[in-house]
Amino acid sequence: MNQDKIKFREKAAYATVNFGNIPIMTIINGYLLIFYTNICGLNPAACATLFLIARIMDGLNDPLVGFVIDHLPNTKFGHFRPTLIIGTVLCSANFLLLWFGPMMAPSGKLVIAYISYILIGVLFPVMDISLNSLLPVMTADMKERSSLSAIKGLAYVVGALVVGVAAPLILGNTSNRNGYIKLILIATAVIFFCSIIGTLGVKERVKPQKGKSYSFKQLFKILSQKPVYITFIVVLLYTIGSNMVSAVNTYYYTYVLGNLTWSAILTLIMCITIFPATMIVGGLANKYGKKRMYAIGLAIAGLTPLIRLLNVRSIPILIVSALITGIGSGFAAPLNYGIQADNTDYVEASMGIRAEGAIASLSSFISKCAMGIGGAIPGYLLALAGFDSTLETQPQSVITVIICCLIILPAVVNVTGILIFSKAYPLTKERLAEQTNYLKEKRLAQAEEHTEQ
């Protein structure tokens, strides 16, 4: 196993390549809608339709991209690193087009927005799926894999923190054309150089298995497994709620609080509780079970913002809400990956097949659809409320829509998801223990049988 030992330098490179993956979707989810309305002058309803169509197409595209990458030939440079570099170059160029194309075009802005936004849905998965496929081929050592998983999670948290703080400070305000130019140029440089340098610094030690095909009949049977479809429903609802918040947050800080800088401040404040919660949730899950702690995390993160309805302009209430919400996010986010792994084991136990690829593709499709729906809802409602990007002060109907999309609607979908998960998800702590023991005995028997042959 010495060959699987990963040195600090390579772990730093792995953190770097994951950090480079963060700005693309983080900035798109948080700022693209208000950029289209305030800088490009596009109608929010037209943007909503774009988000909805493109995200669904994006989700349908993921399984195809994964299939193609899996079936590409191995090279001396590895199997996934070449596609990661190609994806980075193409995605970086298209990321520039996504923002600068509609902004600089004298006409046809919506057409350019459609082309570039749909393209990002095709090109980003090349980069993203290649990156997410690296971990299993970097080492076969379980301890090293756990270490890499922790590094990946930390890079994502730190990356989201850096973007969440830096973006509003660089922008200044959401109608600052020069601010967007600086933000996108800096973000593209980070995406390109971190991804390329990080990719060059890691190694693929384990020869990847060729992609296994599965029939549509098997795919639907996998979907029919109760833990799988219950988790997908909950992820769908929670992601719709969180993306409504992401899409409308900039409108809240711009038109309700009147100061975008508070977005950066609140991101930092939330991290005070996110990091400790992330560090202790593993122990709590071992003691009380993943199901219980995941439901608690979703409840805290999804329902705490309701206290802001007491006074939507109160900074102290906003700070308290951010601190408590950070606890819920710190509980829920890490457990989501573990629950998906448990569902994969459930499929193996019940159907006799490993379905990592199928579940990953289906999960990605569900998330992309939810992102499209969650991003579209604020756009349609803002258009109905009479949003006018030329006005510094919006009418009360627009303010009401902003608050509704920021607090009320996400709480409704989150409550629905929490109730479904708490009542219907079958893998309790006791059931998981039984499942783990069963699979352990089954794999041991298969290994002994293979040895005898």
Side-chain angles (χ1 to χ4, degrees):
M1 282 296 176
N2 288 335
Q3 64 176 355
D4 283 343
K5 190 70 176 177
I6 300 179
K7 296 180 179 180
F8 174 80
R9 183 175 179 179
E10 187 175 354
K11 290 182 177 180
Y14 185 64
T16 301
V17 69
N18 278 279
F19 184 89
N21 198 48
I22 301 302
I24 297 175
M25 286 303 167
T26 304
I27 294 176
I28 287 175
N29 290 340
Y31 293 94
L32 191 60
L33 177 59
I34 201 166
F35 169 80
Y36 279 161
T37 58
N38 288 21
I39 301 297
C40 302
L42 298 179
N43 182 278
C47 298
T49 302
L50 164 60
F51 292 163
L52 193 57
I53 293 173
R55 285 298 189 188
I56 293 175
M57 291 177 63
D58 183 11
L60 291 171
N61 174 65
D62 281 3
L64 177 60
V65 172
F67 180 85
V68 171
I69 291 175
D70 276 340
H71 288 78
L72 288 173
N74 294 324
T75 69
K76 292 182 179 179
F77 193 63
H79 187 91
F80 298 106
R81 291 200 297 164
T83 52
L84 179 49
I85 289 178
I86 292 170
T88 297
V89 173
L90 296 176
C91 202
S92 297
N94 191 66
F95 188 69
L96 290 172
L97 175 65
L98 179 70
W99 302 85
F100 293 160
M103 180 170 59
M104 296 180 174
S107 61
K109 294 178 183 290
L110 185 59
V111 174
I112 296 173
Y114 261 90
I115 294 172
S116 56
Y117 194 76
I118 290 174
L119 273 177
I120 205 79
V122 175
L123 298 176
F124 180 69
V126 176
M127 180 182 174
D128 192 48
I129 292 173
S130 299
L131 172 60
N132 291 332
S133 300
L134 270 182
L135 194 153
V137 299
M138 286 179 65
T139 177
D141 187 296
M142 289 298 107
K143 290 184 178 179
E144 291 294 334
R145 285 188 177 182
S146 296
S147 176
L148 291 175
S149 296
I151 290 169
K152 185 180 183 72
L154 181 61
Y156 274 40
V157 171
V158 172
L161 169 63
V162 171
V163 174
V165 173
L169 296 179
I170 294 170
L171 275 181
N173 68 76
T174 53
S175 297
N176 181 7
R177 181 187 176 96
N178 290 331
Y180 282 105
I181 293 174
K182 291 179 183 178
L183 175 62
I184 300 310
L185 289 176
I186 293 171
T188 304
V190 170
I191 295 162
F192 184 84
F193 289 108
C194 287
S195 297
I196 298 295
I197 292 171
T199 302
L200 294 175
V202 301
K203 298 178 181 178
E204 296 185 29
R205 296 172 177 81
V206 181
K207 185 177 180 180
Q209 294 181 350
K210 294 182 179 180
K212 297 180 180 179
S213 61
Y214 47 85
S215 66
F216 278 106
K217 185 176 180 180
Q218 286 177 309
L219 183 61
F220 285 116
K221 191 172 182 181
I222 291 169
L223 262 177
S224 70
Q225 304 301 305
K226 192 172 184 179
V228 175
Y229 72 75
I230 291 298
T231 303
F232 282 169
I233 290 172
V234 175
V235 169
L236 176 72
L237 292 170
Y238 186 77
T239 307
I240 288 173
S242 63
N243 274 273
M244 275 194 283
V245 174
S246 295
V248 84
N249 236 348
T250 46
Y251 290 87
Y252 168 76
Y253 288 110
T254 300
Y255 298 110
V256 179
L257 282 191
N259 188 347
L260 189 62
T261 304
W262 274 108
S263 175
I265 296 172
L266 265 294
T267 300
L268 285 172
I269 289 173
M270 189 178 291
C271 289
I272 294 173
T273 51
I274 284 181
F275 285 112
T278 301
M279 289 187 286
I280 67 172
V281 71
L284 293 173
N286 289 334
K287 184 175 182 180
Y288 299 107
K290 292 178 189 174
K291 175 182 178 179
R292 180 178 297 179
M293 293 310 304
Y294 187 60
I296 290 173
L298 291 179
I300 295 173
L303 300 181
T304 298
L306 286 172
I307 67 173
R308 293 167 63 180
L309 292 175
L310 294 173
N311 185 345
V312 295
R313 292 179 172 83
S314 170
I315 298 300
I317 292 177
L318 182 59
I319 292 172
V320 171
S321 173
L323 289 170
I324 301 175
T325 300
I327 297 173
S329 299
F331 283 173
L335 292 179
N336 185 54
Y337 297 106
I339 287 172
Q340 292 288 8
D342 294 339
N343 293 346
T344 301
D345 285 346
Y346 182 90
V347 171
E348 181 183 3
S350 61
M351 297 178 61
I353 61 173
R354 293 295 294 180
E356 292 94 339
I359 290 178
S361 296
L362 290 168
S363 179
S364 178
F365 171 70
I366 293 294
S367 296
K368 298 288 178 60
C369 289
M371 290 167 71
I373 296 169
I377 289 173
Y380 287 128
L381 293 181
L382 285 170
L384 288 173
F387 174 80
D388 186 345
S389 61
T390 63
L391 299 177
E392 291 187 8
T393 302
Q394 298 294 326
Q396 184 58 43
S397 58
V398 171
I399 302 301
T400 300
V401 163
I402 292 172
I403 300 305
C404 187
C405 291
L406 186 71
I407 301 173
I408 299 173
L409 289 180
V412 172
V413 295
N414 287 331
V415 166
T416 305
I418 293 163
L419 291 175
I420 291 173
F421 185 79
S422 300
K423 296 292 183 181
Y425 187 72
L427 297 184
T428 60
K429 181 181 178 183
E430 294 74 22
R431 286 282 300 275
L432 277 176
E434 295 173 3
Q435 176 176 287
T436 301
N437 291 333
Y438 169 76
L439 289 175
K440 184 177 180 181
E441 293 173 1
K442 179 182 176 181
R443 291 165 185 165
L444 182 61
Q446 289 174 340
E448 291 175 350
E449 181 180 346
H450 180 72
T451 302
E452 292 175 358
Q453 293 176 348

